[in-house]
Amino acid sequence: MEDKEGADPGGTEFTSDSSWSLPSGPVDSVSDGVNYFFDRESSILSEFGWNLHPVDHQSHHDIERFAELDRAESCSRPLDLAGNFSASQSCAASAAAAGSGGGGGSSSGTASNPGLSADVSTSNNPSVSSSSSEDPPEKSTGSGGKPPEIPSKARKKGQKRIRQPRFAFMTKSEVDHLEDGYRWRKYGQKAVKNSPFPRSYYRCTNSKCTVKKRVERSSDDPAIVITTYEGQHCHHSVGFPRGGLISHEAAAFAAGQFTPTVSQFYYPGVQLNREILPSITQSQQVPISAAESRSLPEPTPQLPTDEGLLGDMVPPGMRNR
DNA sequence: CGAGTTTGACCAGCGC
DNA sequence: GCGCTGGTCAAACTCG
């Protein structure tokens, strides 16, 4: 097939194979509707090339929570941030530290992550930039720089599944499939244990892109859709029906639920374009409670740029400037 | 007719 | 080693 070429344009792939289940309880424990963006998360998000966007026909959906699963695992309670963002900052910070240099964790990082235990440090070796530390040669064998996820039978036997960075978030939505600017093809559906709702598996229709996503409804609250992304897009979104690309961050930001503090929330692929914010705010009308807005720090008026990261992931035209 | 979805089967990883 | 479960494949089917 064609999805062989370096599926990791950013070279930021850091695998994580350990457990990564989404913390299930916290949804309630966390004050409703509050977003939790770890600097690290947003980093990866953009690496994923996200452009989260609610579908037109849906009244609205609140991003309940955002969690980079891998990190979440390592940090004692990454999601316990309702107003306690700092609580996880030790973790987020360290994560950021690891990636701050590159802002995307693509390079430099060091294993200096006290918070990130062996679990991560092993699988997420900072120096993976060029070769996924966790990719035992035997797996990708097939064809040299082949992406970890080999969507062919060749991978079936003797080849361990390689996990790419995963990211999950919960949204309150009536529709399962959130429009994020990319086209997805469903390739499977499975019943999930302890959940009356099936889990759907999607992969990016771009043959060169290995990004996948899982969509399922929370068994606790059927109104909540849990979307998990895995991998990063090696191309650009197809755009949204309404025209104009908007980043989920922008959307969140517009909703007042997202605070682009310094190097935390800026990312090449999804750089926040302030020019579109107003329209987003109007069209999306993502509700935000007073309590939420209260607990959120003010948005930083200036978004840092990181040319270094833009690298091959974002064509010049996509950059803000 | 091509693209996307459905669905049963198969496989790998993990816990016991 | 065995069984369970999640993840993926791929043929059949649906839809535009």
Side-chain angles (χ1 to χ4, degrees), chain A residues 63-234:
Chain A
I63 295 180
E64 286 287 328
R65 184 177 55 193
F66 223 124
E68 189 200 341
L69 299 171
D70 300 319
R71 301 285 178 218
E73 269 279 315
S74 315
C75 303
S76 48
R77 41 171 128 46
L79 298 178
D80 180 21
L81 326 166
N84 306 319
F85 191 74
S86 57
S88 69
Q89 284 216 311
S90 58
C91 182
S94 48
S100 69
S106 62
S107 58
S108 74
T110 42
S112 65
N113 257 342
L116 305 180
S117 47
D119 171 31
V120 171
S121 56
T122 49
S123 62
N124 183 19
N125 190 324
S127 51
V128 285
S129 48
S130 57
S131 61
S132 53
S133 60
E134 221 210 23
D135 273 7
E138 77 241 23
K139 325 189 166 154
S140 11
T141 79
S143 33
K146 186 177 280 186
E149 303 266 359
I150 302 170
S152 72
K153 270 192 165 175
R155 199 217 58 190
K156 271 193 169 179
K157 282 179 182 170
Q159 298 194 330
K160 212 160 49 170
R161 231 170 238 143
I162 309 296
R163 293 274 174 230
Q164 295 205 356
R166 281 158 300 192
F167 227 84
F169 64 90
M170 300 171 136
T171 61
K172 241 173 199 164
S173 171
E174 295 172 8
V175 297
D176 293 348
H177 200 194
L178 305 178
E179 189 59 58
D180 57 7
Y182 290 93
R183 290 173 63 83
W184 302 90
R185 167 178 291 188
K186 188 175 186 177
Y187 68 88
Q189 177 172 309
K190 277 216 70 133
V192 182
K193 193 186 178 190
N194 294 329
S195 173
F197 307 102
R199 172 183 297 160
S200 298
Y201 298 88
Y202 299 85
R203 72 164 50 103
C204 186
T205 56
N206 187 314
S207 60
K208 298 175 181 175
C209 186
T210 59
V211 177
K212 295 171 191 169
K213 84 171 175 183
R214 258 162 292 181
V215 178
E216 64 189 294
R217 285 196 174 273
S218 167
S219 55
D220 293 335
D221 183 355
I224 294 179
V225 177
I226 302 172
T227 305
T228 305
Y229 285 78
E230 181 174 335
Q232 36 181 261
H233 290 284
C234 59

Side-chain angles (χ1 to χ4, degrees), chain A residues 9-12 39-40 42-44 46-47 96 98-108 129 232 263-271 304-315 319:
Chain A
T12 52
D39 44 353
R40 188 54 199 169
S42 76
S43 297
I44 292 187
S46 30
E47 283 177 10
S100 69
S106 62
S107 58
S108 74
S129 48
Q232 36 181 261
S263 62
Q264 297 185 356
F265 299 113
Y266 165 77
Y267 254 77
V270 288
Q271 183 168 2
T305 55
D306 189 339
E307 291 295 312
L309 273 185
L310 297 177
D312 23 41
M313 283 191 68
V314 183
R319 308 182 191 180

